[in-house]
């Protein structure tokens, strides 16, 4: 008899997504009324993505995760093709300065989101097959790093540094879990710092983000504007917030607050209490994901579980660190909560796979 789905993981994801829909309406209603003459514009589209996401999550939760092991090479190949196609003018669409989207009517599909999951699946298969070679950098580590850097390079051509960093961090964390020698991580850390420094230097807008991060008030109406407005939203929230729909910063102060800076509006309207509840919900996803990984019966499902939950949490931490001014603006969305169909669908797909691994693990352990 097959065990039911992990209810805690399932309902935590649903609650976060539903709260995201509510907050997207609150954060975007003023902007949507001005731009589209429809205060419910973003609410309606995110609701569609949510319904589709739940259906996908439930379907995937019933598909044996071993299918991804068999199709890992194909999945990664499709992701690579999409990353190349999106860079071609006339095929890929430019939004906010990045050619990261396929425009399909009013919707946009971001292939880099799918690539993050595709690379996790491929790396999990690779590590489960090549575990004995990981002590040899040449045979075990460098091949997967080469593929990771290729995908990172394609994402940087869009450009999208935030997504690229999350992708690399997820793979590095999997290598750590797999038992790669610690000296390797010291070397890769130094190389990473040098590489990111070069990427910042060659792109003036990234350097502007660094300087605005160090002291946003030097250019309060320019590069420091988003960080300052985000802090102005979080500060007045206090313990319980100003109340639902009562945000001041969403009134054209914080640019498009329904996306990267939605946590700022949550903190403003629901205060420390609201921010704490959101943090607890993400902590539950981390806890359940790690528990599923530790209980997995085979290496592939173990690496796959770790990789997917790490990816969600890395993205969450990066977004939260941006909105409170701990790191420069990266353009990374908050999983489940920010407006964006691609991010929501991939997050729910990841949860669906975790649910299936959990069911299979519990079934085998009986």
């Amino acid at each position: 008899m097959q065990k039911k789905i992990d209810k805690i993981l399932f309902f935590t994801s649903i609650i976060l997504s539903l709260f995201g829909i509510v907050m997207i309406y609150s954060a975007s209603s003023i902007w949507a009324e001005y731009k589209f003459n429809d205060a419910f514009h973003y609410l309606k589209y995110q609701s569609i993505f949510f319904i589709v996401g739940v259906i996908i999550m439930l379907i995937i939760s019933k598909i044996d995760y071993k299918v991804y092991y068999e199709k890992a090479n194909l999945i990664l190949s499709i992701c690579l093709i999409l990353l190349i196609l999106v860079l071609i003018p006339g095929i890929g669409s430019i939004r906010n300065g990045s050619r990261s989207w396929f425009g399909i009517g009013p919707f946009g599909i971001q292939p880099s989101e799918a690539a993050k999951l595709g690379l996790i699946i491929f790396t999990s298969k690779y590590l489960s097959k090549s575990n004995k070679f990981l002590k040899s950098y040449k045979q075990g580590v460098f091949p997967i790093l080469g593929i990771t850097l290729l995908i990172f390079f394609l994402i940087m051509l869009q450009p999208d540094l935030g997504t690229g960093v999350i992708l690399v961090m997820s793979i590095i964390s999997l290598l750590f879990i797999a038992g790669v020698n610690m000296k390797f991580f010291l070397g890769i850390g130094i190389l990473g710092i040098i590489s990111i420094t070069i990427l910042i230097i060659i792109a003036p807008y990234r350097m502007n983000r660094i300087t605005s991060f160090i002291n946003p008030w030097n250019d309060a109406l320019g590069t420091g504007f988003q960080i300052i407005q985000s802090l102005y939203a979080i500060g007045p929230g206090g313990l319980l917030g100003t109340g639902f729909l009562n945000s001041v910063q969403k009134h054209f102060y914080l640019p498009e607050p329904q996306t990267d800076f939605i946590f700022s509006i949550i903190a403003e309207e629901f205060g420390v209490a609201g921010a704490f509840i959101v943090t607890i919900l993400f902590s539950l996803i981390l806890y359940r994901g790690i528990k599923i990984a530790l209980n997995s019966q085979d290496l592939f499902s173990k690496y796959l579980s770790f990789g997917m939950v790490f990816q969600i949490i890395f993205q969450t931490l990066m977004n939260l660190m941006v909105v409170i001014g701990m790191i420069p603006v990266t353009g990374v969305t908050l999983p489940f909560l920010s407006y964006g169909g691609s991010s929501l669908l991939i997050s729910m797909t990841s949860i669906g796979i975790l649910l299936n691994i959990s069911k299979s693990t519990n079934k085998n352990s009986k």
Side-chain angles (χ1 to χ4, degrees):
M1 180 179 177
Q2 192 177 48
K3 186 177 173 65
K4 295 180 180 180
I5 62 174
D6 186 322
K7 291 183 179 179
I8 295 177
L9 181 61
F10 175 77
F11 284 113
T12 300
S13 305
I14 295 296
I15 291 169
L16 272 173
S17 301
L18 287 173
F19 184 55
I21 291 173
V22 172
M23 290 310 302
I24 284 168
Y25 169 69
S26 176
S28 69
S29 57
I30 304 299
W31 174 257
E33 181 70 38
Y34 169 77
K35 189 174 181 180
F36 302 104
N37 199 30
D38 179 9
F40 298 94
H41 176 85
Y42 293 104
L43 170 68
K44 290 187 289 189
Y45 283 114
Q46 190 72 1
S47 297
I48 293 172
F49 286 127
F50 170 72
I51 293 169
V52 173
V54 171
I55 293 172
I56 290 174
M57 181 171 63
L58 291 173
I59 291 173
I60 287 179
S61 71
K62 299 181 183 299
I63 298 174
D64 191 341
Y65 69 86
K66 295 183 178 68
V67 169
Y68 310 113
Y69 182 92
E70 298 169 0
K71 304 294 183 183
N73 294 5
L74 176 62
I75 292 171
L76 186 65
S77 298
I78 293 173
C79 290
L80 282 169
I81 291 171
L82 293 176
L83 286 175
I84 294 171
L85 288 176
V86 80
L87 296 172
I88 301 175
I91 299 179
S93 302
I94 297 177
R95 296 187 181 184
N96 298 323
S98 296
R99 190 179 294 278
S100 306
W101 308 83
F102 292 118
I104 303 175
F107 300 101
I109 303 298
Q110 195 172 8
S112 59
E113 289 290 335
K116 290 191 301 182
L117 180 56
L119 184 59
I120 289 292
I121 293 172
F122 180 85
T123 303
S124 299
K125 176 181 179 179
Y126 178 85
L127 292 176
S128 65
K129 290 178 64 178
S130 309
N131 206 32
K132 61 183 179 180
F133 297 121
L134 289 177
K135 291 184 180 179
S136 168
Y137 296 156
K138 184 176 180 180
Q139 289 182 305
V141 178
F142 289 160
I144 195 63
L145 276 185
I147 294 171
T148 301
L149 292 176
L150 171 62
I151 295 178
F152 177 78
F153 174 73
L154 290 173
I155 291 175
M156 287 306 302
L157 290 177
Q158 297 179 6
D160 187 354
L161 179 60
T163 298
V165 169
I166 292 169
L167 181 142
V168 172
M169 288 176 64
S170 301
I171 300 306
I172 295 298
S173 68
L174 277 182
L175 292 175
F176 176 78
I177 293 293
V180 174
N181 193 302
M182 287 298 295
K183 292 180 181 178
F184 167 79
F185 296 102
L186 178 60
I188 205 71
I190 295 172
L191 180 62
I193 292 172
I194 295 172
S195 300
I196 291 176
T197 301
I198 293 172
L199 289 172
I200 290 171
I201 292 173
I202 63 177
Y205 78 92
R206 294 191 191 112
M207 181 59 74
N208 290 337
R209 287 180 176 180
I210 294 294
T211 55
S212 66
F213 159 69
I214 295 172
N215 188 356
W217 280 269
N218 276 344
D219 188 12
L221 296 178
T223 56
F225 186 77
Q226 281 183 302
I227 294 177
I228 291 173
Q229 299 307 318
S230 176
L231 295 176
Y232 280 163
I234 295 171
L239 182 61
L240 299 176
T242 58
F244 180 57
L245 298 178
N246 291 333
S247 166
V248 173
Q249 292 305 106
K250 68 184 181 184
H251 290 261
F252 306 107
Y253 293 104
L254 189 59
E256 297 198 50
Q258 72 277 3
T259 55
D260 306 351
F261 286 87
I262 194 166
F263 187 79
S264 304
I265 305 301
I266 293 173
E268 184 180 8
E269 295 190 348
F270 293 95
V272 173
F276 179 73
I277 292 172
V278 169
T279 303
I280 291 297
L281 291 173
F282 277 112
S283 298
L284 275 175
I285 290 179
L286 175 62
Y287 168 71
R288 299 306 296 183
I290 290 178
K291 185 174 181 180
I292 290 169
L294 292 175
N295 291 333
S296 297
Q297 302 297 307
D298 60 86
L299 285 175
F300 174 67
S301 60
K302 186 180 297 291
Y303 291 137
L304 185 57
S305 300
F306 272 124
M308 290 186 299
V309 74
F310 283 166
Q311 201 166 83
I312 291 172
I313 297 305
F314 283 149
Q315 183 167 335
T316 300
L317 289 174
M318 185 172 288
N319 177 274
L320 297 184
M321 290 171 76
V322 166
V323 300
I324 63 177
M326 289 183 65
I327 60 174
V329 176
T330 59
V332 170
T333 57
L334 184 58
F336 302 105
L337 291 169
S338 292
Y339 177 77
S342 298
S343 177
L344 181 60
L345 294 181
I346 293 301
S347 295
M348 287 196 153
T349 297
S350 298
I351 296 298
I353 297 173
L354 282 169
L355 291 174
N356 181 261
I357 293 173
S358 177
K359 286 197 298 182
S360 301
T361 298
N362 285 301
K363 182 181 178 182
N364 291 335
S365 63
K366 286 188 175 182

